[in-house]
Amino acid sequence: MTVSRRRRTAVLGALPILLGALSCETGGSGTAAPAPGAAVFSLPPAQQLRAAAEATRRAGTATFVGTLALSSAAGTAVEHTTGAMDFAESRSRAEVSLEVAGAFPEDAAAALRGGREAPGPLSLATDGGDVFARGEDSAWLRFTPGAVEEFGGAVAAFSEHSASPAAPYGGTLADLVPSAVAERAPEERADGSRRYRVTVPARTAAKALPAALRPGTAERGGEQVPLTVELDGLGRITRVDADFGPLLAALRQEGLPEGVTDVRGTLELGALGEPTAYRLPGRDGAGVEDARKVLTPLREFAAGSCAAREPVLAAAPLTRASPLRTADCDAAHDLRVLARFGPGEPPSGQHPVGGAESATRCAGALARAPEEWTREARRDGAALVVAVEPPAAAARPGAAGTGGTTGGTTCVVGRV
């Protein structure tokens, strides 16, 4: 065999390898393969963040760490959240804790913990449309969408984290990214990642604040909240920072102490597309209870019956929708129902249901109550009487969470 023939044979033998390599580089079509992140970064800047949210979902899985920090001259309160999400299965698991330093205003700290007195962490999980909550050493409570509607604001501290369009663990800064519009090209770094500085309207930004902090802010429209959004080289969200300072005036109108001078949030996503090790409720050794089977709205307790407050809801203000456990009055319990007044009771001309008159009517119910009921009153026999009514927005016939009533008062006495 001549040299030229041997050389031709060698070249032909190598051709499949070369073609294979070329195919990998061109995607098999003879054109250059898309650069990493092209599905996001090739779009106009105004469309990139919405595309980034979708690219993050396509990653399939992620871990996350979030903080919400409130600062004052006297101290700080920081809510810490750590967890993992499975976008494909619409599931998540998170641990939420609160760290208070210095003489930070207690009422603001209480709002951050969703009204719970318990200092321990709160475990949360989502599975499709269901939300699960668990305190320390307790079973998981499962709230279906129907239970969330029935119990209303009493479960807002964790129902706000039900799955959102952006993530299976909602109520975070990730929910704000699809609404953010970049007006200019982002800062590009050496590793291919990008940083965007954008703003979102106040009514949008308020969705990432705890429910106890944000009432009323959704109606405000002028303020813009600054966001810094970071994407990795594949166009996926890795960090979001928010400065809620423009909302401070609105938050103070809703009861945030004047001493709180700064509100900031962060969210970091990691391990995108990697297996995440977390156990869902029912697979972690703790029991699972259906909230609608073990909890009853306060409005449904008869006079004289007793109830126990649920630990994960222990400090939430009582309303007629408050979910409570039925308790034996001869055993441990937290509340005894003195009386219930429906809409229009008592008759016109006597103390009508509403405002101070409700408290007066409840005091009268206590005065007529059996002695065994009054023995349970707080403060050396002085009753703690609570007159609770549905909020005006829900007080309409057939409204969700009102039991089909338009008002009413339930009088309860706390047990010592």
Side-chain angles (χ1 to χ4, degrees), residues 60 86-92 126-128 168 278 280:
D86 186 325
F87 294 91
E89 299 293 334
S90 191
R91 293 172 175 169
S92 68
T126 64
D127 188 354
Y278 65 97
L280 290 171

Side-chain angles (χ1 to χ4, degrees), residues 62-66 81-85 93-95 278:
T63 59
F64 62 98
V65 178
T81 304
T82 60
M85 297 184 284
R93 168 82 183 257
E95 304 294 326
Y278 65 97

Side-chain angles (χ1 to χ4, degrees), residues 206-274:
K207 298 174 184 177
L209 290 172
L213 287 182
R214 68 169 182 258
T217 57
E219 301 304 320
R220 304 180 64 85
E223 301 88 345
Q224 294 285 319
V225 171
L227 295 183
T228 299
V229 182
E230 297 183 14
L231 310 183
D232 65 11
L234 299 178
R236 305 174 303 186
I237 301 167
T238 57
R239 183 180 175 96
V240 186
D241 293 87
D243 178 2
F244 293 101
L247 285 179
L248 276 175
L251 294 174
R252 286 173 181 145
Q253 290 179 9
E254 301 301 326
L256 187 71
E258 288 288 336
V260 176
T261 56
D262 194 42
V263 180
R264 294 178 182 268
T266 66
L267 176 69
E268 293 183 79
L269 300 182
L272 288 156
E274 300 177 13

Side-chain angles (χ1 to χ4, degrees), residues 129-315:
D130 296 343
V131 182
F132 300 77
R134 177 176 179 257
E136 289 186 301
D137 303 321
S138 65
W140 287 96
L141 276 174
R142 171 176 170 261
F143 293 87
T144 63
V148 170
E149 182 179 9
E150 180 175 2
F151 297 132
V155 298
F158 34 87
S159 65
E160 63 189 4
H161 295 298
S162 59
S164 71
Y169 187 87
T172 74
L173 295 177
D175 291 353
L176 309 186
V177 175
S179 301
V181 176
E183 297 181 352
R184 59 183 63 87
E187 171 193 343
E188 183 175 355
R189 295 178 286 197
D191 61 357
S193 62
R194 268 69 162 181
R195 178 185 288 129
Y196 301 74
R197 300 187 188 281
V198 295
T199 62
V200 293
R203 64 173 63 88
T204 300
K207 298 174 184 177
L209 290 172
L213 287 182
R214 68 169 182 258
T217 57
E219 301 304 320
R220 304 180 64 85
E223 301 88 345
Q224 294 285 319
V225 171
L227 295 183
T228 299
V229 182
E230 297 183 14
L231 310 183
D232 65 11
L234 299 178
R236 305 174 303 186
I237 301 167
T238 57
R239 183 180 175 96
V240 186
D241 293 87
D243 178 2
F244 293 101
L247 285 179
L248 276 175
L251 294 174
R252 286 173 181 145
Q253 290 179 9
E254 301 301 326
L256 187 71
E258 288 288 336
V260 176
T261 56
D262 194 42
V263 180
R264 294 178 182 268
T266 66
L267 176 69
E268 293 183 79
L269 300 182
L272 288 156
E274 300 177 13
T276 56
Y278 65 97
R279 291 178 294 176
L280 290 171
R283 305 177 190 175
D284 59 356
V288 178
E289 297 179 315
D290 187 324
R292 296 185 87 176
K293 293 181 179 179
V294 301
L295 302 177
T296 303
L298 175 60
R299 75 173 75 84
E300 296 181 12
F301 281 80
S305 61
C306 295
R309 304 195 72 167
E310 178 58 38
V312 296
L313 303 169

